[in-house]
């Protein structure tokens, strides 16, 4: 079959151009990592081949020795990497190399300031993989053929890393990918076998395939003395080694490969489990949340191996969703090599490995919280909102997860979430039985809510919850350490033993005094409210709204509405502060002409104060203006 010479030029996605610029600028001081990234990709490609070949033997094409080859050419000023992995089809090249498929891409670019120095540290978080080749190369040629007998022709991709790239159909006997880097002026330091071997040992020693430095291409007359091909790395599975035999640096470099991260991990845990089940896990917690943390279809979680053979990427069954930030490998001795995703769905082995691994992760976080509060706080700031999904998803571990939670509270009034439930319990007042919380749309709305007035007066701490996930959290974490969690915006205020008998009697008397007013207000508001009553939870506001004991909180109702869900629309209870001058005046003046307006305004104000939206804002403004005019 002849191949038509067909070469087309395609433009990079706009983001790719921006990314290349930023990357060359910011990674320049650490440019040798280009080799780590390209080797990491070659290794992934070989893993993928091995996995696909489990169900399609033909993919091997008679060549079973997976290998990564590195060579350089002093005269041509090129470095070449070759792998006999899965390769790419034409479309895959376009999708993988011409575009950035990460779902957080747009947000990432929005978060950039345009100041390259400031943005430089962000690039590490994004990870740029293949494009790091352009740090040292002003032209990159990638030739690749997808594995499989009779697979389509190979394709050659070439780019100077500016605005576009070319694609051309070519012939290539072996499957896999070859990347040729045409070095920039002044990068000749990399045309040196000793230097390249050192870089490989430093960053890629953990790669489980042999990385072979090919007989170096010296000038013609020197070739005689050149060393033979040489495997540079240890090529053994790092996690299969004893802990004492793995250095900190090796753990870190391995992390960067499995997690596709440019930064060091925050912490890790390496375990061998023996007994009924045998497996090894090496689990990492990243320092920073990736941009696609909120994308539930994201990739790169836990890699599953069976007896050191790679089985699959992103084995989602191995970690629950609320721990989706964990990276690493789990290597089982019990699963069959030809395990499929379907088998994994119902595997007892997987279930127990997962249970054990979850315990490991929670334990590792608990230790961190105990031993290094500052580092733990960093973790919390990055991943806390994900961990808050835990009690809902993982009921069995909810007490342990509860220990890891951190909150903003009225104790500090800071939006930083630093208070553990144990700290809260340690500060509970004599006679306090519940852990009080308030949920609101924003931190400011929670912190300034009228519902907190009595709690502030009595010095009772309240958790200030304003993350979206918090409503979900408190619906599943209904108690901690034997203490119920109680919303301050639901039900009648019951401070239990925090109030003495005398106080309670006085309150009853006041309620009795205001009976007529309450009835009249109720009549005026009609079916806008479920009930009107006198409260003593307010000290400076005239009124507030609360939800019935068993109703949905107003905040949750708003969240669901915003998400487009139909909600029942349970009616609020209006509570009046009997000590407030406005309420006292209402009571004294009785049914003046403006009674209805006053009551409406009180109600609307209370709704606004808790972050709600008025049904008829214009009417509110009109009433208010009318009253202001009468003030003269
Ligand atoms: P990442 O490795 O994090 O996915 P990269 O930028 O390093 O990001 O690579 C982008 C994609 O290009 C890879 O996910 C893979 O699909 C493809 N790719 C890169 N190098 C190779 C290779 N040597 N063989 C096959 N596919 C590759
Ligand atoms: Mg990569």
């Amino acid at each position: 079959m002849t191949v038509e010479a067909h070469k087309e030029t395609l433009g990079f996605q706009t983001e790719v151009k921006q990314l290349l610029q930023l990357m060359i600028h910011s990674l320049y001081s650490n440019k040798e990592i280009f080799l780590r990234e390209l080797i990491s990709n070659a290794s992934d490609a070989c893993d993928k081949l091995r996995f696909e070949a489990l169900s399609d033997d033909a993919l091997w094409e008679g060549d079973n020795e997976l290998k990564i080859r590195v060579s350089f050419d002093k005269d041509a000023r090129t470095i070449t990497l070759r792998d006999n992995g899965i390769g790419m089809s034409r479309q895959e090249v376009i999708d993988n190399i011409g575009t950035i498929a990460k779902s957080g891409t747009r947000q990432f670019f929005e978060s950039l300031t345009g100041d390259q120095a400031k943005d430089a540290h962000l690039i590490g978080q994004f990870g740029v993989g293949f494009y790091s080749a352009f740090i040292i190369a002003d032209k990159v040629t990638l030739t690749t053929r997808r594995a499989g007998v009779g697979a389509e022709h190979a394709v050659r991709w070439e780019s100077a890393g500016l605005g576009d790239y070319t694609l051309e159909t070519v012939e290539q006997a072996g499957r896999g990918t070859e990347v040729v880097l045409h070095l920039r002026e002044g990068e000749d330091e990399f045309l040196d076998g000793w230097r390249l071997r050192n870089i490989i040992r430093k960053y890629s020693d953990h790669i489980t395939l042999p990385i072979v430095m090919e007989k170096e291409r010296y000038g013609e007359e020197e070739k005689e003395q050149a060393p033979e091909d040489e495997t540079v790395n240890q090529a053994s599975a790092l996690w299969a080694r004893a802990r004492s035999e793995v250095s900190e640096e090796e753990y870190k470099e391995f992390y960067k490969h499995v997690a596709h991260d440019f930064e060091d991990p925050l912490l890790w845990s390496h375990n061998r489990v023996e007994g009924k089940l045998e497996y090894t896990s090496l689990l990492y917690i990243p320092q920073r949340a990736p941009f696609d943390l909120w994308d539930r279809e994201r990739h790169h979680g836990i890699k599953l191996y069976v007896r050191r053979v790679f089985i699959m990427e992103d084995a989602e069954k191995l970690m629950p969703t609320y721990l989706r930030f964990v990276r690493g490998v789990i290597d089982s001795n019990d699963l069959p090599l030809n395990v499929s995703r379907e088998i994994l769905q119902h595997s007892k082995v997987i279930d127990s490995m997962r249970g054990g691994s979850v315990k490991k992760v929670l334990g590792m976080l608990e230790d961190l919280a105990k031993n290094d509060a500052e580092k733990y706080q960093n973790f919390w700031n990055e991943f806390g909102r994900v961990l808050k999904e835990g009690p809902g998803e993982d009921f069995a571990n909810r007490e342990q997860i509860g220990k890891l939670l951190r909150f903003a509270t009225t104790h500090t009034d800071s939006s930083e979430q630093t208070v553990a439930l144990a700290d809260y319990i340690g500060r509970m007042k004599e006679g306090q039985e519940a852990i009080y919380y308030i949920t609101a749309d924003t931190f400011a709305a929670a912190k300034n809510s009228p519902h907190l007035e009595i709690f502030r007066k009595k010095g009772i701490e309240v958790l200030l919850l304003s993350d979206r996930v918090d409503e979900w959290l408190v619906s599943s974490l209904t108690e901690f350490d034997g203490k119920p969690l109680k919303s301050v915006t639901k039900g009648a205020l019951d401070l239990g033993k925090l109030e003495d008998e005398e106080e309670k009697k006085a309150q009853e008397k006041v309620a009795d005094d205001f009976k007529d007013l309450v009835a009249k207000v109720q009549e005026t508001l009609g079916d806008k409210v479920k009930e009107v009553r006198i409260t003593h939870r307010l000290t400076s506001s005239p009124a507030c709204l609360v939800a019935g004991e068993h109703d949905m909180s107003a905040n949750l109702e708003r969240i669901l509405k915003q998400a487009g869900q139909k909600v029942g629309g349970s009616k609020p209870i209006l509570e009046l502060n009997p000590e407030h001058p406005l309420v006292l005046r209402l009571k004294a003046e009785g049914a003046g002409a403006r009674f209805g307006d006053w009551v409406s305004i009180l109600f609307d104000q209370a709704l606004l104060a808790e972050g709600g939206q008025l049904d008829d804002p214009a009417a509110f403004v009109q009433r208010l203006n009318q009253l202001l005019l009468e003030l003269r």
Side-chain angles (χ1 to χ4, degrees):
M1 199 166 25
T2 56
V3 183
E4 271 175 62
H6 175 60
K7 188 168 182 173
E8 57 178 328
T9 302
L10 289 104
F12 278 127
Q13 188 191 14
T14 332
E15 280 88 357
V16 177
K17 272 187 267 178
Q18 247 179 304
L19 189 66
L20 283 167
Q21 277 309 309
L22 182 62
M23 188 199 58
I24 291 167
H25 177 86
S26 46
L27 294 180
Y28 196 75
S29 58
N30 193 17
K31 50 193 171 181
E32 61 194 25
I33 56 147
F34 77 90
L35 198 51
R36 169 187 86 194
E37 293 304 316
L38 297 177
I39 289 176
S40 175
N41 286 349
S43 161
D44 286 347
C46 292
D47 280 348
K48 281 181 203 157
L49 175 78
R50 205 180 291 155
F51 178 60
E52 286 192 23
L54 287 178
S55 52
D56 182 4
D57 216 30
L59 292 178
W60 289 112
E61 300 176 28
D63 169 16
N64 291 29
E65 268 181 64
L66 293 173
K67 210 178 266 177
I68 301 168
R69 298 179 159 273
V70 181
S71 65
F72 63 91
D73 184 330
K74 268 193 163 152
D75 300 329
R77 302 188 60 254
T78 56
I79 296 176
T80 301
L81 278 99
R82 249 179 291 148
D83 67 66
N84 53 352
I86 193 74
M88 282 179 275
S89 68
R90 187 186 192 89
Q91 192 55 46
E92 283 170 328
V93 171
I94 294 174
D95 292 344
N96 297 335
I97 307 284
T99 36
I100 310 175
K102 294 188 187 171
S103 54
T105 306
R106 201 173 45 84
Q107 290 98 299
F108 175 75
F109 283 96
E110 280 166 7
S111 74
L112 297 181
T113 60
D115 175 342
Q116 291 212 325
K118 269 194 203 150
D119 293 342
H121 75 278
L122 289 172
I123 195 85
Q125 190 175 8
F126 190 72
V128 282
F130 176 79
Y131 298 115
S132 62
F134 287 102
I135 307 174
I136 57 140
D138 53 14
K139 187 166 86 176
V140 176
T141 312
L142 173 145
T143 311
T144 185
R145 180 168 75 70
R146 190 81 163 78
V149 188
E152 55 180 311
H153 308 284
V155 55
R156 175 164 297 150
W157 176 100
E158 190 165 81
S159 176
L162 298 171
D164 50 28
Y165 59 91
T166 58
L167 275 185
E168 184 181 1
T169 306
V170 294
E171 292 294 350
Q172 176 179 301
R175 61 157 194 269
T177 304
E178 176 190 86
V179 179
V180 182
L181 310 176
H182 307 264
L183 298 193
R184 288 180 193 278
E185 217 46 66
E187 303 296 353
D188 293 31
E189 58 176 295
F190 293 108
L191 296 171
D192 173 356
W194 186 81
R195 178 78 203 274
L196 292 176
R197 274 195 296 271
N198 265 331
I199 301 175
I200 294 170
R201 285 203 192 98
K202 179 167 168 195
Y203 295 107
S204 308
D205 201 45
H206 58 79
I207 295 290
T208 45
L209 312 162
I211 304 169
V212 177
M213 277 290 293
E214 291 186 337
K215 193 170 157 116
E216 296 154 22
R217 295 175 202 181
Y218 292 81
E220 271 311 315
E221 64 285 6
E222 291 164 281
K223 232 175 199 161
E224 304 272 294
Q225 313 140 26
E228 291 305 311
D229 286 4
E230 176 194 357
T231 298
V232 185
N233 60 330
Q234 289 199 43
S236 75
L238 175 133
W239 62 89
R241 284 154 50 192
R243 258 189 292 212
S244 57
E245 281 165 25
V246 185
S247 72
E248 186 141 321
E249 276 317 308
E250 287 177 304
Y251 276 123
K252 288 180 180 169
E253 285 308 327
F254 182 67
Y255 164 77
K256 289 177 189 168
H257 169 62
V258 286
H260 298 249
D261 194 347
F262 273 57
E263 288 184 312
D264 287 341
L266 185 72
L267 72 162
W268 59 87
S269 163
H270 184 187
N271 314 282
R272 176 161 303 144
V273 176
E274 274 155 357
K276 230 169 55 199
L277 271 190
E278 283 187 19
Y279 65 93
T280 303
S281 66
L282 174 49
L283 304 169
Y284 291 93
I285 311 251
Q287 267 186 68
R288 280 201 270 189
F291 280 92
D292 50 1
L293 182 65
W294 300 102
D295 175 10
R296 286 171 167 264
E297 277 160 43
R298 61 189 318 283
H299 299 293
H300 308 321
I302 303 292
K303 286 189 180 197
L304 175 66
Y305 284 74
V306 172
R307 288 183 287 281
R308 277 171 284 308
V309 175
F310 171 78
I311 301 297
M312 69 180 68
E313 188 104 47
D314 185 31
E316 69 274 1
K317 282 287 286 173
L318 284 171
M319 249 334 129
T321 312
Y322 75 98
L323 295 178
R324 60 185 175 276
F325 51 82
V326 177
R327 300 284 175 273
V329 304
I330 296 180
D331 187 346
S332 163
N333 268 352
D334 306 294
L335 290 168
L337 267 173
N338 60 354
V339 63
S340 66
R341 279 193 191 264
E342 291 67 50
I343 293 177
L344 290 185
Q345 289 302 320
H346 312 284
S347 158
K348 287 228 167 60
V349 174
I350 290 281
D351 289 346
S352 6
M353 290 200 300
R354 167 187 162 122
S357 304
V358 166
K359 285 276 178 217
K360 276 286 167 230
V361 172
L362 296 179
M364 145 163 89
L365 289 172
E366 210 174 318
D367 287 347
L368 181 69
K370 234 176 263 159
N371 303 327
D372 192 338
E374 197 180 320
K375 223 168 158 186
Y376 186 77
Q377 194 61 44
N378 288 344
F379 160 78
W380 181 263
N381 294 342
E382 291 293 319
F383 298 109
R385 282 177 301 164
V386 180
L387 205 65
K388 280 177 175 179
E389 297 171 11
E393 188 186 352
D394 188 355
F395 203 65
N397 284 315
R398 75 188 181 290
E399 192 75 15
Q400 201 178 356
I401 300 167
K403 288 186 202 159
L404 297 172
L405 301 176
R406 297 292 180 271
F407 298 99
T409 79
T410 52
H411 184 68
T412 59
D413 265 345
S414 149
S415 63
E416 240 211 297
Q417 302 177 354
T418 56
V419 177
L421 290 173
D423 303 336
Y424 180 103
I425 290 173
R427 284 193 289 264
M428 275 168 63
K429 294 272 170 214
E430 175 122 2
Q432 181 178 348
E433 278 152 5
I435 298 170
Y436 292 102
Y437 68 85
I438 180 165
T439 55
D441 231 11
T442 61
F443 174 72
K447 178 180 152 194
N448 300 320
S449 166
H451 295 100
L452 298 180
E453 288 171 8
I454 182 78
F455 292 90
R456 290 195 185 277
K457 187 172 153 201
K458 288 188 173 277
I460 303 167
E461 187 171 359
V462 179
L463 308 181
L464 303 171
L465 309 184
S466 55
D467 285 335
R468 287 201 141 216
V469 62
D470 285 333
E471 287 285 357
W472 163 238
L473 171 68
V474 293
S475 70
S476 23
L477 190 76
T478 49
E479 60 165 68
F480 177 78
D481 199 12
K483 316 260 182 314
L485 270 79
K486 206 165 174 344
S487 166
V488 303
T489 65
K490 277 162 86 167
L493 179 68
D494 176 12
L495 292 175
K497 293 184 193 136
L498 287 165
E499 285 168 323
D500 54 34
E501 283 309 309
E502 235 166 87
E503 277 178 296
K504 283 182 186 159
K505 279 233 176 68
Q507 286 160 19
E508 276 164 32
K509 179 163 181 314
V510 173
D512 204 49
D513 282 353
F514 279 76
K515 225 169 41 200
D516 294 344
L517 176 68
V518 163
K520 227 165 1 175
V521 172
Q522 171 100 56
E523 194 186 303
T524 310
L525 289 173
D527 61 4
K528 274 171 102 169
V529 291
K530 186 172 188 169
E531 189 190 338
V532 178
R533 64 191 181 208
I534 290 297
T535 185
H536 56 286
R537 77 171 96 219
L538 301 173
T539 59
S540 50
S541 304
C544 69
L545 296 176
V546 298
E549 182 79 48
H550 304 291
D551 287 346
M552 206 180 268
S553 78
N555 185 53
L556 179 55
E557 212 164 276
R558 276 192 292 276
I559 290 176
L560 293 178
K561 262 190 204 151
Q562 276 165 21
Q565 289 198 39
K566 273 214 160 60
V567 280
S570 42
K571 287 176 206 156
I573 297 164
L574 178 70
E575 294 193 340
L576 299 172
N577 173 3
E579 282 168 21
H580 197 279
L582 277 176
V583 177
L584 286 168
R585 222 170 123 183
L586 259 184
K587 179 167 181 273
E589 292 181 10
R594 288 258 169 247
F595 187 84
D597 288 341
W598 279 56
V599 169
S600 288
I601 286 177
L602 275 185
F603 178 85
D604 287 352
Q605 272 187 356
L607 188 58
L608 285 174
E610 62 154 41
Q613 274 189 350
L614 303 181
D615 282 343
D616 187 353
F620 171 75
V621 171
Q622 243 171 31
R623 281 195 198 102
L624 195 63
N625 289 344
Q626 194 56 45
L627 290 179
L628 288 173
L629 281 172
E630 286 169 19
L631 270 181
R632 273 176 302 156

